[in-house]
C-alpha cells in the first residue's frame, strides 16, 4: 500500500483515491498544484465547486458509478476559489482486491485550453470573419435546429433574406475596402434591429439572412420593414461623396408541409426577388403565407 501511495504521490498527473462510499482518502501534490491550496477535501466540497450547469449530470454519473462499482468519466467545469472556471477531465477506475470493490482511483486533467481552442475553432467555422455574423454553415445549423423544434411544437419561426441594392458601385468604384466597410455597417444595423434571441448571418458577398425564432409572420414583416428603413437611412462618407445602399427583403416562415430548410429558404428568396423586381428597397412576404 505504501508503494501504491508513493507511486500516486510521485505522479505528475493529478490523482486521487476514494473508498467504496466515494469518500476522498488521498489527493496527490499534482492535483493540489492544479486546483490550488483550496483543493476540496471532501466529495461534498467538490460537488459545490462544480459549475451549476454541469453539477446535476456529474453527480448522477458519479453516484451510478459507485452503485454499479464501475468506472467514471466526465468533462465538466470547475469553479476555483477566485471564481475562475477550469474545464476538467476526470476519470476513475474501480479498484478491487480479491474480487471485492474497495474504492476508486482517479485522474484529473486540466483541459481548459483545449476547450477554449475548440470553442474558438467552432466559432470561426460558423462565423463570417469580416462582420462577425453567422456564415452560411452557422445559418444552416441553426435553421435545421429550428425546423426540428417547429416540427415538434409548431412554434412560429420566420426567416428574412436580402442582398444589397446598388452595392456593386460601392465595391467597384469605391474599392474593396469601402465595400467591406459597408458590409460591416450593414451587419451592425441588422444586429441593432433584431432581438437577442434572433440570429443574423452573412451568407457570402452582400447576401444576408436573419432567423426569427418564435416570431409570427406579421411581426416578422414589421421587423423587416424597420430594418429596410434603417439600411436606407444609413450612408458612408468617403472620397468626397456619400455612399448608400438599400435592401430588398424577402420574408418567409415555416409551413406545415416543410420537410427541409430549403423549403423556407426558397420561399424567402423568391420573396426577395419579387421585392427587387418591383423597384428595390422593399419588403415582400410569402406569396402563399
Amino acid at each position: 500500500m505504501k508503494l501504491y501511495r508513493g507511486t500516486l504521490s510521485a505522479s505528475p498527473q493529478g490523482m486521487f483515491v476514494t473508498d467504496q462510499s466515494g469518500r476522498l482518502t488521498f489527493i496527490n501534490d499534482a492535483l493540489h498544484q492544479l486546483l490550488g491550496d483550496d483543493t476540496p477535501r471532501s466529495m461534498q466540497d467538490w460537488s459545490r465547486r462544480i459549475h451549476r450547469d454541469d453539477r446535476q449530470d456529474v453527480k448522477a454519473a458519479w453516484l451510478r458509478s459507485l452503485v454499479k462499482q464501475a468506472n467514471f468519466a466526465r468533462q465538466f467545469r470547475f469553479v476555483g476559489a477566485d471564481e475562475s472556471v477550469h474545464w476538467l477531465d476526470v476519470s476513475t477506475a474501480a479498484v478491487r482486491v480479491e474480487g471485492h470493490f474497495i474504492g476508486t482511483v482517479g485522474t484529473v486533467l486540466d483541459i481548459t485550453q483545449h476547450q477554449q481552442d475548440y470553442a474558438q475553432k467552432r466559432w470561426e467555422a460558423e462565423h463570417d470573419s469580416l462582420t462577425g455574423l453567422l456564415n452560411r454553415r452557422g445559418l444552416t445549423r441553426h435553421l435545421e435546429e429550428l425546423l426540428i423544434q417547429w416540427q415538434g411544437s409548431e412554434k412560429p419561426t420566420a426567416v428574412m433574406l436580402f442582398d444589397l441594392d446598388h452595392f456593386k458601385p460601392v465595391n467597384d468604384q469605391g474599392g474593396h475596402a469601402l465595400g467591406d466597410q459597408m458590409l460591416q455597417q450593414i451587419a451592425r444595423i441588422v444586429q441593432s434591429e433584431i432581438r437577442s434571441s434572433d440570429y443574423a448571418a452573412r451568407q457570402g458577398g452582400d447576401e444576408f439572412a436573419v432567423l426569427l425564432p418564435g416570431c409570427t409572420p406579421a411581426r416578422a414583416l414589421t421587423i423587416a420593414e424597420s430594418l429596410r428603413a434603417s439600411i436606407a437611412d444609413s450612408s458612408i462618407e468617403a472620397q468626397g461623396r456619400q455612399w448608400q445602399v438599400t435592401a430588398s427583403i424577402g420574408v418567409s416562415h415555416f409551413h406545415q408541409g416543410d420537410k427541409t430548410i430549403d423549403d423556407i429558404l426558397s420561399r424567402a428568396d423568391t420573396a426577395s426577388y419579387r421585392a427587387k423586381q418591383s423597384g428595390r428597397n422593399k419588403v415582400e412576404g410569402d406569396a402563399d403565407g
Side-chain angles (χ1 to χ4, degrees):
M1 183 60 70
K2 289 184 178 179
L3 177 62
Y4 173 71
R5 295 246 173 170
T7 301
L8 296 182
S9 295
S11 172
Q13 185 173 20
M15 302 195 75
F16 63 91
V17 177
T18 77
D19 63 16
Q20 63 267 41
S21 299
R23 289 188 293 266
L24 279 169
T25 60
F26 173 80
I27 297 175
N28 74 348
D29 290 341
L31 185 53
H32 276 298
Q33 292 175 9
L34 175 62
L35 300 180
D37 295 334
D38 60 331
T39 302
R41 300 299 306 186
S42 71
M43 282 301 177
Q44 187 174 17
D45 291 337
W46 271 86
S47 175
R48 293 193 189 101
R49 298 274 292 278
I50 296 173
H51 192 282
R52 63 179 180 274
D53 292 342
D54 302 331
R55 189 177 300 148
Q56 184 175 351
D57 174 69
V58 173
K59 286 178 65 176
W62 172 246
L63 292 174
R64 283 197 304 271
S65 72
L66 291 175
V67 170
K68 296 182 178 181
Q69 301 178 3
N71 297 345
F72 167 92
R74 279 294 186 278
Q75 294 180 352
F76 55 87
R77 287 161 291 182
F78 187 80
V79 182
D82 60 354
E83 301 300 319
S84 61
V85 178
H86 300 267
W87 272 95
L88 301 183
D89 185 329
V90 179
S91 301
T92 70
V95 178
R96 289 180 171 81
V97 175
E98 297 180 351
H100 296 288
F101 175 67
I102 64 168
T104 70
V105 59
T107 61
V108 181
L109 291 175
D110 187 336
I111 58 169
T112 304
Q113 189 61 51
H114 171 77
Q115 289 295 117
Q116 290 174 345
D117 290 346
Y118 173 79
Q120 180 64 24
K121 287 179 181 178
R122 178 167 180 172
W123 190 93
E124 291 173 352
E126 294 194 344
H127 287 78
D128 172 51
S129 60
L130 178 65
T131 63
L133 303 182
L134 291 170
N135 58 19
R136 190 180 296 273
R137 178 177 178 177
L139 173 72
T140 297
R141 181 174 69 84
H142 285 290
L143 191 49
E144 287 176 341
E145 291 174 354
L146 289 171
L147 177 58
I148 292 172
Q149 293 174 18
W150 180 84
Q151 289 170 336
S153 65
E154 293 196 5
K155 179 181 178 180
T157 292
V159 175
M160 298 190 300
L161 292 184
F162 67 92
D163 57 16
L164 302 178
D165 309 320
H166 317 299
F167 178 71
K168 194 172 187 300
V170 177
N171 218 32
D172 292 349
Q173 300 171 25
H176 291 300
L178 181 61
D180 287 349
Q181 188 180 348
M182 180 65 77
L183 293 171
Q184 290 170 331
Q185 177 168 287
I186 298 303
R188 290 192 293 270
I189 292 171
V190 172
Q191 289 176 308
S192 70
E193 288 287 331
I194 64 177
R195 306 163 301 177
S196 60
S197 58
D198 299 331
Y199 302 98
R202 177 189 173 215
Q203 300 193 80
D206 63 330
E207 298 178 1
F208 291 82
V210 178
L211 309 184
L212 303 162
C215 189
T216 64
R219 178 59 180 157
L221 289 172
T222 300
I223 294 173
E225 179 56 34
S226 178
L227 173 59
R228 181 209 62 75
S230 293
I231 292 174
D233 288 343
S234 68
S235 64
I236 293 178
E237 185 173 349
Q239 302 171 10
R241 60 174 287 190
Q242 296 286 331
W243 302 84
Q244 289 181 288
V245 295
T246 57
S248 300
I249 304 176
V251 183
S252 185
H253 60 284
F254 287 132
H255 293 175
Q256 286 190 347
D258 290 344
K259 301 298 182 185
T260 70
I261 63 172
D262 290 336
D263 295 327
I264 186 172
L265 289 174
S266 177
R267 289 195 303 274
D269 188 56
T270 298
S272 176
Y273 181 76
R274 286 200 311 272
K276 196 172 290 289
Q277 289 298 104
S278 62
R280 303 175 188 271
N281 191 26
K282 293 186 177 181
V283 173
E284 289 282 346
D286 277 354
D288 55 350

